[in-house]
Amino acid sequence: IDVAVESPYTRFPVYRETIDQIVGIVHARDIAGAWLNGALTSLHALTRPVLILPATMNADELLKRLKRERRTIAILGLSLIHI
């Protein structure tokens, strides 16, 4: 809760063990609402699905995809290249 209150951001990634394992996004307003209602038990319960796109996607394609899916945020994943 302290991070959400102190941060200028309203959306935060939720991950499993490391930041590389993002499972969704939690909104600060959802955290605040659950906390005020005494129902804040787990961030995972408040987690919303996140759109994960390849980091190689160009900006034009990215914006079209966000608009088509009515999203305002996406996670750009790193493409692993084996040489």
Side-chain angles (χ1 to χ4, degrees):
I1 294 174
D2 292 335
V3 172
V5 170
E6 300 285 329
S7 176
Y9 304 107
T10 59
R11 295 174 184 95
F12 303 93
V14 177
Y15 54 90
R16 285 196 177 100
E17 294 177 17
T18 68
I19 193 69
D20 294 326
Q21 298 174 333
I22 295 175
V23 295
I25 297 289
V26 67
H27 291 253
R29 67 174 178 257
D30 294 340
I31 296 171
W35 183 71
L36 289 172
N37 292 326
L40 183 62
T41 57
S42 164
L43 287 182
H44 289 281
L46 303 175
T47 301
R48 297 176 184 207
V50 65
L51 183 60
I52 300 176
L53 300 172
T56 56
M57 181 178 276
N58 69 43
D60 186 49
E61 291 175 23
L62 172 64
L63 292 173
K64 285 178 185 176
R65 181 83 180 267
L66 287 171
K67 186 175 181 180
R68 183 173 60 243
E69 298 197 21
R70 297 181 181 205
R71 304 280 187 116
T72 58
I73 191 169
I75 301 297
L76 297 180
L78 297 176
S79 297
L80 296 177
I81 301 173
H82 298 284
I83 299 176

